[in-house]
Amino acid sequence: MTHEAGIPLGIKFKLLSDTPQDSAAQVVNDVVVGDYRDLDTLRRFAQGCDVITFDHEHVPTEHLRALEADGIPVRPGPDALVHAQDKGVMRARLGELGIPAPRNRIVSSPADVAAFAAEGPAAGDGDGFPVVLKTVRGGYDGKGVWVVRGADDPAAAEPFKAGVPVLAEEKVDFARELAANVVRSPHGQAVAYPVVESVQVDGVCDTVIAPAPGLAEDAAVHAQELALRIAHELGVVGHLAVELFETRDGEVLVNELAMRPHNSGHWTQDGAVTSQFANHLRAVLDLPLGDPRCRAPWTVMGNVLGGDYPDMYSAYLHCMARDPQLKIHMYGKTVKPGRKVGHVNVCGDDLADVRERAAHAAGYLRGTITE
Ligand SMILES: Nc1ncnc2c1ncn2[C@@H]1O[C@H](COP(=O)(O)OP(=O)(O)OP(=O)(O)O)[C@@H](O)[C@H]1O
Ligand SMILES: [Mg+2]
């Protein structure tokens, strides 16, 4: 989708891909198949690139530092990106900046988890559970996140098996999840998208509503300012998604950061004047940023998750005939249960109607709705 945004500008891509079947490898013509964890592969790949950017955050920080030392611009740079790679580093830095977050601590055993739970303000006469455990690196789409219900819950031991440091967090009883998305360029220009609501099902993003329904103007501006401040303090270049929990008394806490085009910004392809992909590219190339405002009162994005697939052609026939305003974005991925394989966007004036149309199309393309 970033490549798609680069086409009208004549921006040429070279892609480092895990396999020739990856979504981007199906559309970019200059593809190197290789392992992003291998420095020699990265060095060979980087030759001839004016600038390097990412669609995931798992390239090892030290390799990115080596590329920078070789004189290759990496955007976002490793000193910023590490806060999206490592949830422990992110929690420590945002704590220093005084940015509100769930109570948290790095833990190294189930006994530490029980101690962390017991110290919580909500522990009272109980044991302080539930607690959320996360591996600090390598997680995505809820993989690497466990909710632990008590000291003898088997989930308390699970995260330690990966051999990666583990972060414990209080389980926030949030009213809903929001995302504040901003884009910042090397020369310091920044834009803020309208704050959105994101709905997760089983730890995976299901629906995004832009703008977040019922969010007061001052609360929205506060969340945008928070995201802009994080982008500035961490020196982010490109798109920054700040995932937020809105508490029942209207406070916002930072969940995590992503420094790349993000699922909470997919609505911008059809619902904003400039998409997150176009603005990410503009920022990475230090071009002036585009207008982030909405094109319609409401845009709803629905993720298409892999399941029992209908025949795609007949699914397209049905969805396109039912809703001529529907926008479908499929990724060409092989289908695995629960995997994000595409999304749909619907814009309009009536939120209930827009939500129904997006949910119907996402469900139909997934095969869970059949009429
Ligand atoms: N401290 C917490 N309290 C309550 N719920 C939480 C907490 N941390 C995470 N969650 C829930 O789990 C989901 C996934 O957590 P998180 O965003 O940290 O994981 P991830 O797998 O890295 O994310 P992503 O799906 O964005 O790649 C969150 O969106 C939220 O619904
Ligand atoms: Mg997340």
Side-chain angles (χ1 to χ4, degrees), residues 119-137:
E119 286 165 36
D125 294 335
D127 57 7
F129 285 92
V131 162
V132 177
L133 297 182
K134 303 178 176 185
T135 49
V136 297
R137 276 180 180 260

Side-chain angles (χ1 to χ4, degrees), residues 87 132-135 139-147 159 203 256:
K87 293 183 208 252
V132 177
L133 297 182
K134 303 178 176 185
T135 49
Y140 67 98
D141 286 350
K143 295 177 183 63
V145 177
W146 292 263
V147 178
E256 63 161 349

Side-chain angles (χ1 to χ4, degrees), residues 76 99 178-186 188-196 220-244 254 256-268 272 274-284 289-293:
I99 288 171
L178 303 173
N181 292 344
V182 298
V183 185
R184 183 176 174 275
S185 66
Q189 188 190 7
V191 295
Y193 283 101
V195 176
V196 298
V221 170
H222 170 72
Q224 289 176 315
E225 284 174 350
L226 190 73
L228 288 168
R229 181 169 162 232
I230 293 171
H232 173 74
E233 296 278 4
L234 304 186
V236 177
V237 170
H239 187 265
L240 169 71
V242 181
E243 295 182 4
L244 299 165
V254 172
E256 63 161 349
L257 309 178
M259 295 179 197
R260 52 175 164 80
H262 187 251
N263 203 168
S264 63
H266 285 1
W267 69 275
T268 60
T274 315
S275 79
Q276 61 164 353
F277 300 100
N279 261 338
H280 182 76
L281 273 180
R282 290 182 186 213
V284 164
L289 301 178
D291 189 340
R293 283 176 298 178

Side-chain angles (χ1 to χ4, degrees), residues 290-314:
D291 189 340
R293 283 176 298 178
C294 294
R295 284 174 179 277
W298 299 105
T299 302
V300 174
M301 188 278 328
N303 272 332
V304 180
L305 300 177
D308 279 332
Y309 261 101
D311 161 45
M312 257 312 144
Y313 188 80
S314 59

